[in-house]
C-alpha cells in the first residue's frame, strides 16, 4: 500500500464523518423545495430551491463516496480486486447502495426537478 493511499484514506474518513449532517441538509432542502411547489411559487423561486437541493445532494453524495472508499480499506485505493471484495462485504454493500440512491435522486432532480427559466430575447435593431 502506498503512502498516497494512506493519505487519501484518512482524508476520506474525515469527509465521510460529515455524511449525516449533509444528508440532513439535503432533506431540509428537499422539504423546502416541496413546500414551494405546494405553495405554487413562481419559476425563479422554484429554480432557486431546486438548485439548492441539487447542491445539497451533491455534497451528500461526495461524502457518501468518501465514506464508501474509506470503508473498502486502504488497499482498495491501489487494487481494483480489493475494491470489488470490499463492495461485497455488508458494510461496503450498504455504502454502495447509499451512493447509488443519492445519485439517482440527484439525476432525477436534474432531469425533471429544476425548472428552466427562459432566456431573454434581445431586441431586434
Amino acid at each position: 500500500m502506498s503512502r498516497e493511499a494512506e493519505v487519501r484514506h484518512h482524508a476520506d474518513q474525515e469527509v465521510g464523518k460529515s455524511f449525516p449532517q449533509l444528508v440532513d441538509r439535503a432533506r431540509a432542502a428537499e422539504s423546502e423545495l416541496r413546500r414551494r411547489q405546494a405553495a405554487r411559487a413562481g419559476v425563479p423561486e422554484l429554480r432557486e430551491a431546486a438548485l439548492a437541493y441539487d447542491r445539497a445532494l451533491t455534497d451528500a453524495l461526495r461524502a457518501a463516496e468518501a465514506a464508501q472508499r474509506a470503508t473498502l480499506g486502504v488497499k482498495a485505493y491501489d487494487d481494483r480486486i480489493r475494491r470489488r471484495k470490499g463492495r461485497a462485504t455488508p458494510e461496503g454493500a450498504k455504502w454502495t447502495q447509499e451512493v447509488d440512491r443519492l445519485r439517482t435522486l440527484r439525476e432525477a432532480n436534474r432531469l425533471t426537478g429544476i425548472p428552466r427559466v427562459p432566456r431573454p430575447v434581445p431586441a431586434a435593431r
Side-chain angles (χ1 to χ4, degrees):
M1 107 188 110
S2 66
R3 175 74 180 134
E4 180 184 340
E6 288 181 32
V7 170
R8 290 174 55 202
H9 178 72
H10 290 298
D12 283 342
Q13 284 178 326
E14 290 302 313
V15 172
K17 288 179 184 177
S18 65
F19 177 73
Q21 296 87 8
L22 293 172
V23 168
D24 289 341
R25 190 182 311 162
R27 285 188 184 126
E30 181 186 20
S31 64
E32 175 63 20
L33 174 62
R34 303 298 175 229
R35 186 189 66 74
R36 287 185 185 188
Q37 287 173 337
R40 303 239 185 248
V43 173
E45 292 85 17
L46 284 176
R47 182 172 173 78
E48 176 187 325
L51 289 173
Y53 179 46
D54 182 68
R55 284 189 297 273
L57 279 174
T58 299
D59 292 342
L61 176 60
R62 286 184 181 145
E65 289 170 339
Q68 178 190 32
R69 287 189 302 267
T71 300
L72 300 181
V74 177
K75 292 180 182 179
Y77 286 89
D78 295 331
D79 185 7
R80 74 177 175 85
I81 301 297
R82 291 285 183 167
R83 274 193 298 277
R84 276 187 67 196
K85 285 182 176 183
R87 286 190 189 111
T89 65
E91 193 68 18
K94 179 189 101 169
W95 280 111
T96 300
Q97 287 177 339
E98 186 64 23
V99 166
D100 290 344
R101 185 183 73 84
L102 288 170
R103 273 197 191 118
T104 302
L105 284 173
R106 185 180 70 171
E107 291 306 314
N109 182 55
R110 286 183 174 178
L111 290 173
T112 62
I114 301 174
R116 298 193 185 275
V117 177
R119 293 183 184 175
V121 178
R125 292 184 180 193

